[in-house]
mmCIF file of all heavy atoms in Angstrom:
data_model
loop_
_atom_site.group_PDB
_atom_site.id
_atom_site.type_symbol
_atom_site.label_atom_id
_atom_site.label_comp_id
_atom_site.label_asym_id
_atom_site.label_seq_id
_atom_site.Cartn_x
_atom_site.Cartn_y
_atom_site.Cartn_z
ATOM 1 N N TYR H 269 7.585 7.256 -1.165
ATOM 2 C CA TYR H 269 6.332 7.987 -0.974
ATOM 3 C C TYR H 269 5.496 7.433 0.185
ATOM 4 O O TYR H 269 4.493 8.039 0.550
ATOM 5 C CB TYR H 269 5.492 7.937 -2.252
ATOM 6 C CG TYR H 269 6.209 8.447 -3.468
ATOM 7 C CD1 TYR H 269 6.391 7.635 -4.590
ATOM 8 C CD2 TYR H 269 6.714 9.735 -3.518
ATOM 9 C CE1 TYR H 269 7.041 8.101 -5.718
ATOM 10 C CE2 TYR H 269 7.376 10.201 -4.643
ATOM 11 C CZ TYR H 269 7.540 9.379 -5.734
ATOM 12 O OH TYR H 269 8.192 9.840 -6.846
ATOM 13 N N LEU H 270 5.895 6.293 0.732
ATOM 14 C CA LEU H 270 5.108 5.656 1.766
ATOM 15 C C LEU H 270 5.421 6.215 3.146
ATOM 16 O O LEU H 270 6.555 6.613 3.423
ATOM 17 C CB LEU H 270 5.352 4.143 1.775
ATOM 18 C CG LEU H 270 4.941 3.372 0.520
ATOM 19 C CD1 LEU H 270 5.234 1.892 0.698
ATOM 20 C CD2 LEU H 270 3.481 3.589 0.186
ATOM 21 N N ARG H 271 4.400 6.207 4.006
ATOM 22 C CA ARG H 271 4.597 6.575 5.399
ATOM 23 C C ARG H 271 5.004 5.327 6.192
ATOM 24 O O ARG H 271 4.894 4.201 5.697
ATOM 25 C CB ARG H 271 3.300 7.142 5.982
ATOM 26 C CG ARG H 271 2.732 8.322 5.211
ATOM 27 C CD ARG H 271 1.268 8.557 5.565
ATOM 28 N NE ARG H 271 0.450 7.385 5.235
ATOM 29 C CZ ARG H 271 -0.872 7.318 5.402
ATOM 30 N NH1 ARG H 271 -1.516 8.351 5.899
ATOM 31 N NH2 ARG H 271 -1.526 6.228 5.085
ATOM 32 N N GLU H 272 5.439 5.531 7.420
ATOM 33 C CA GLU H 272 5.828 4.403 8.249
ATOM 34 C C GLU H 272 4.640 3.485 8.540
ATOM 35 O O GLU H 272 4.824 2.291 8.792
ATOM 36 C CB GLU H 272 6.423 4.898 9.575
ATOM 37 C CG GLU H 272 7.796 5.552 9.424
ATOM 38 C CD GLU H 272 8.399 5.900 10.772
ATOM 39 O OE1 GLU H 272 7.724 5.667 11.796
ATOM 40 O OE2 GLU H 272 9.529 6.401 10.786
ATOM 41 N N THR H 273 3.436 4.038 8.524
ATOM 42 C CA THR H 273 2.252 3.234 8.824
ATOM 43 C C THR H 273 1.714 2.486 7.606
ATOM 44 O O THR H 273 0.844 1.622 7.759
ATOM 45 C CB THR H 273 1.138 4.139 9.371
ATOM 46 O OG1 THR H 273 0.895 5.212 8.461
ATOM 47 C CG2 THR H 273 1.522 4.697 10.731
ATOM 48 N N ASP H 274 2.183 2.829 6.400
ATOM 49 C CA ASP H 274 1.738 2.130 5.195
ATOM 50 C C ASP H 274 2.415 0.766 5.122
ATOM 51 O O ASP H 274 3.544 0.585 5.591
ATOM 52 C CB ASP H 274 2.057 2.944 3.948
ATOM 53 C CG ASP H 274 1.325 4.277 3.916
ATOM 54 O OD1 ASP H 274 0.246 4.362 4.533
ATOM 55 O OD2 ASP H 274 1.838 5.230 3.305
ATOM 56 N N ILE H 275 1.728 -0.191 4.530
ATOM 57 C CA ILE H 275 2.206 -1.577 4.504
ATOM 58 C C ILE H 275 2.222 -2.068 3.066
ATOM 59 O O ILE H 275 1.237 -1.908 2.331
ATOM 60 C CB ILE H 275 1.300 -2.478 5.358
ATOM 61 C CG1 ILE H 275 1.256 -1.955 6.807
ATOM 62 C CG2 ILE H 275 1.779 -3.917 5.325
ATOM 63 C CD1 ILE H 275 0.117 -2.538 7.615
ATOM 64 N N ILE H 276 3.324 -2.689 2.665
ATOM 65 C CA ILE H 276 3.453 -3.186 1.298
ATOM 66 C C ILE H 276 3.898 -4.642 1.334
ATOM 67 O O ILE H 276 4.725 -5.040 2.164
ATOM 68 C CB ILE H 276 4.445 -2.319 0.485
ATOM 69 C CG1 ILE H 276 4.541 -2.823 -0.960
ATOM 70 C CG2 ILE H 276 5.813 -2.271 1.146
ATOM 71 C CD1 ILE H 276 5.282 -1.870 -1.866
ATOM 72 N N GLY H 277 3.319 -5.464 0.461
ATOM 73 C CA GLY H 277 3.674 -6.878 0.463
ATOM 74 C C GLY H 277 3.131 -7.605 -0.739
ATOM 75 O O GLY H 277 2.413 -7.047 -1.576
ATOM 76 N N TYR H 278 3.488 -8.891 -0.844
ATOM 77 C CA TYR H 278 3.026 -9.734 -1.943
ATOM 78 C C TYR H 278 1.562 -10.126 -1.756
ATOM 79 O O TYR H 278 1.124 -10.432 -0.647
ATOM 80 C CB TYR H 278 3.859 -11.011 -2.021
ATOM 81 C CG TYR H 278 5.240 -10.818 -2.571
ATOM 82 C CD1 TYR H 278 6.345 -10.986 -1.741
ATOM 83 C CD2 TYR H 278 5.441 -10.484 -3.903
ATOM 84 C CE1 TYR H 278 7.632 -10.823 -2.242
ATOM 85 C CE2 TYR H 278 6.713 -10.310 -4.406
ATOM 86 C CZ TYR H 278 7.814 -10.478 -3.578
ATOM 87 O OH TYR H 278 9.076 -10.315 -4.070
ATOM 88 N N VAL H 279 0.829 -10.137 -2.864
ATOM 89 C CA VAL H 279 -0.533 -10.651 -2.894
ATOM 90 C C VAL H 279 -0.602 -11.894 -3.764
ATOM 91 O O VAL H 279 -1.303 -12.850 -3.468
ATOM 92 C CB VAL H 279 -1.513 -9.579 -3.429
ATOM 93 C CG1 VAL H 279 -2.897 -10.166 -3.631
ATOM 94 C CG2 VAL H 279 -1.580 -8.398 -2.474
ATOM 95 N N ASP H 280 0.164 -11.896 -4.850
ATOM 96 C CA ASP H 280 0.230 -13.028 -5.766
ATOM 97 C C ASP H 280 1.602 -13.027 -6.408
ATOM 98 O O ASP H 280 2.435 -12.160 -6.117
ATOM 99 C CB ASP H 280 -0.875 -12.912 -6.826
ATOM 100 C CG ASP H 280 -1.277 -14.268 -7.390
ATOM 101 O OD1 ASP H 280 -0.534 -15.245 -7.174
ATOM 102 O OD2 ASP H 280 -2.326 -14.356 -8.044
ATOM 103 N N HIS H 281 1.841 -13.982 -7.312
ATOM 104 C CA HIS H 281 3.174 -14.088 -7.914
ATOM 105 C C HIS H 281 3.541 -12.859 -8.734
ATOM 106 O O HIS H 281 4.710 -12.549 -8.900
ATOM 107 C CB HIS H 281 3.261 -15.344 -8.786
ATOM 108 C CG HIS H 281 2.394 -15.283 -10.012
ATOM 109 N ND1 HIS H 281 1.036 -15.540 -9.961
ATOM 110 C CD2 HIS H 281 2.678 -14.985 -11.299
ATOM 111 C CE1 HIS H 281 0.532 -15.410 -11.180
ATOM 112 N NE2 HIS H 281 1.496 -15.080 -12.005
ATOM 113 N N ASN H 282 2.551 -12.132 -9.230
ATOM 114 C CA ASN H 282 2.840 -10.917 -9.996
ATOM 115 C C ASN H 282 2.002 -9.723 -9.526
ATOM 116 O O ASN H 282 1.758 -8.790 -10.278
ATOM 117 C CB ASN H 282 2.599 -11.156 -11.488
ATOM 118 C CG ASN H 282 1.145 -11.458 -11.799
ATOM 119 O OD1 ASN H 282 0.418 -11.949 -10.950
ATOM 120 N ND2 ASN H 282 0.738 -11.171 -13.018
ATOM 121 N N VAL H 283 1.558 -9.783 -8.276
ATOM 122 C CA VAL H 283 0.733 -8.707 -7.724
ATOM 123 C C VAL H 283 1.306 -8.270 -6.371
ATOM 124 O O VAL H 283 1.588 -9.101 -5.505
ATOM 125 C CB VAL H 283 -0.736 -9.140 -7.530
ATOM 126 C CG1 VAL H 283 -1.562 -7.985 -6.963
ATOM 127 C CG2 VAL H 283 -1.334 -9.623 -8.838
ATOM 128 N N ILE H 284 1.460 -6.964 -6.227
ATOM 129 C CA ILE H 284 1.909 -6.375 -4.965
ATOM 130 C C ILE H 284 0.776 -5.523 -4.407
ATOM 131 O O ILE H 284 0.091 -4.818 -5.153
ATOM 132 C CB ILE H 284 3.175 -5.517 -5.181
ATOM 133 C CG1 ILE H 284 4.367 -6.425 -5.483
ATOM 134 C CG2 ILE H 284 3.468 -4.658 -3.965
ATOM 135 C CD1 ILE H 284 5.611 -5.671 -5.859
ATOM 136 N N GLY H 285 0.569 -5.590 -3.109
ATOM 137 C CA GLY H 285 -0.472 -4.812 -2.463
ATOM 138 C C GLY H 285 0.107 -3.752 -1.548
ATOM 139 O O GLY H 285 1.185 -3.933 -0.980
ATOM 140 N N VAL H 286 -0.609 -2.636 -1.444
ATOM 141 C CA VAL H 286 -0.223 -1.569 -0.531
ATOM 142 C C VAL H 286 -1.439 -1.196 0.305
ATOM 143 O O VAL H 286 -2.523 -0.959 -0.237
ATOM 144 C CB VAL H 286 0.292 -0.318 -1.279
ATOM 145 C CG1 VAL H 286 0.818 0.698 -0.270
ATOM 146 C CG2 VAL H 286 1.366 -0.684 -2.292
ATOM 147 N N ILE H 287 -1.263 -1.165 1.626
ATOM 148 C CA ILE H 287 -2.322 -0.785 2.546
ATOM 149 C C ILE H 287 -2.049 0.636 3.023
ATOM 150 O O ILE H 287 -0.963 0.917 3.547
ATOM 151 C CB ILE H 287 -2.383 -1.734 3.755
ATOM 152 C CG1 ILE H 287 -2.581 -3.185 3.285
ATOM 153 C CG2 ILE H 287 -3.497 -1.318 4.709
ATOM 154 C CD1 ILE H 287 -2.426 -4.200 4.399
ATOM 155 N N PHE H 288 -3.024 1.520 2.830
ATOM 156 C CA PHE H 288 -2.907 2.923 3.242
ATOM 157 C C PHE H 288 -3.909 3.207 4.359
ATOM 158 O O PHE H 288 -5.052 3.582 4.082
ATOM 159 C CB PHE H 288 -3.183 3.863 2.071
ATOM 160 C CG PHE H 288 -2.218 3.765 0.933
ATOM 161 C CD1 PHE H 288 -2.498 2.963 -0.165
ATOM 162 C CD2 PHE H 288 -1.040 4.496 0.939
ATOM 163 C CE1 PHE H 288 -1.613 2.882 -1.232
ATOM 164 C CE2 PHE H 288 -0.145 4.427 -0.124
ATOM 165 C CZ PHE H 288 -0.431 3.615 -1.210
ATOM 166 N N PRO H 289 -3.519 3.033 5.640
ATOM 167 C CA PRO H 289 -4.458 3.340 6.728
ATOM 168 C C PRO H 289 -4.752 4.847 6.784
ATOM 169 O O PRO H 289 -3.911 5.677 6.438
ATOM 170 C CB PRO H 289 -3.703 2.895 7.992
ATOM 171 C CG PRO H 289 -2.627 1.970 7.497
ATOM 172 C CD PRO H 289 -2.255 2.481 6.136
ATOM 173 N N HIS H 290 -5.969 5.186 7.214
ATOM 174 C CA HIS H 290 -6.392 6.579 7.379
ATOM 175 C C HIS H 290 -6.152 7.392 6.098
ATOM 176 O O HIS H 290 -5.726 8.539 6.136
ATOM 177 C CB HIS H 290 -5.649 7.233 8.547
ATOM 178 C CG HIS H 290 -5.978 6.634 9.875
ATOM 179 N ND1 HIS H 290 -7.015 7.087 10.657
ATOM 180 C CD2 HIS H 290 -5.416 5.599 10.538
ATOM 181 C CE1 HIS H 290 -7.076 6.349 11.774
ATOM 182 N NE2 HIS H 290 -6.119 5.445 11.721
ATOM 183 N N THR H 291 -6.433 6.793 4.964
ATOM 184 C CA THR H 291 -6.191 7.448 3.676
ATOM 185 C C THR H 291 -7.381 7.251 2.750
ATOM 186 O O THR H 291 -7.875 6.132 2.603
ATOM 187 C CB THR H 291 -4.930 6.868 2.995
ATOM 188 O OG1 THR H 291 -3.828 6.953 3.898
ATOM 189 C CG2 THR H 291 -4.590 7.631 1.723
ATOM 190 N N THR H 292 -7.822 8.317 2.120
ATOM 191 C CA THR H 292 -8.896 8.221 1.136
ATOM 192 C C THR H 292 -8.345 7.665 -0.163
ATOM 193 O O THR H 292 -7.126 7.602 -0.373
ATOM 194 C CB THR H 292 -9.519 9.595 0.867
ATOM 195 O OG1 THR H 292 -8.507 10.454 0.309
ATOM 196 C CG2 THR H 292 -10.062 10.218 2.149
ATOM 197 N N GLN H 293 -9.240 7.280 -1.050
ATOM 198 C CA GLN H 293 -8.787 6.750 -2.330
ATOM 199 C C GLN H 293 -8.015 7.806 -3.114
ATOM 200 O O GLN H 293 -7.014 7.491 -3.764
ATOM 201 C CB GLN H 293 -9.974 6.247 -3.155
ATOM 202 C CG GLN H 293 -9.515 5.578 -4.454
ATOM 203 C CD GLN H 293 -10.656 4.940 -5.196
ATOM 204 O OE1 GLN H 293 -11.812 5.248 -4.939
ATOM 205 N NE2 GLN H 293 -10.353 4.056 -6.131
ATOM 206 N N LYS H 294 -8.456 9.043 -3.035
ATOM 207 C CA LYS H 294 -7.768 10.110 -3.761
ATOM 208 C C LYS H 294 -6.319 10.238 -3.296
ATOM 209 O O LYS H 294 -5.395 10.372 -4.111
ATOM 210 C CB LYS H 294 -8.503 11.437 -3.566
ATOM 211 C CG LYS H 294 -7.892 12.598 -4.349
ATOM 212 C CD LYS H 294 -8.703 13.879 -4.161
ATOM 213 C CE LYS H 294 -8.087 15.034 -4.943
ATOM 214 N NZ LYS H 294 -8.859 16.289 -4.758
ATOM 215 N N GLY H 295 -6.108 10.167 -1.985
ATOM 216 C CA GLY H 295 -4.753 10.275 -1.456
ATOM 217 C C GLY H 295 -3.879 9.118 -1.904
ATOM 218 O O GLY H 295 -2.710 9.309 -2.260
#
């Protein structure tokens, strides 16, 4: 479901983060 510009990575030992540039919270 991610676009090429979206970024996913580790934040903590059991937490993953996803960065959605140019995206509202609803999206």
Side-chain angles (χ1 to χ4, degrees):
Y269 304 122
L270 297 181
R271 304 163 299 182
E272 290 186 358
T273 54
D274 297 333
I275 302 164
I276 182 169
Y278 286 112
V279 173
D280 206 346
H281 67 280
N282 64 334
V283 180
I284 289 174
V286 186
I287 303 171
F288 297 95
H290 295 271
T291 306
T292 62
Q293 185 173 17
K294 183 178 180 181

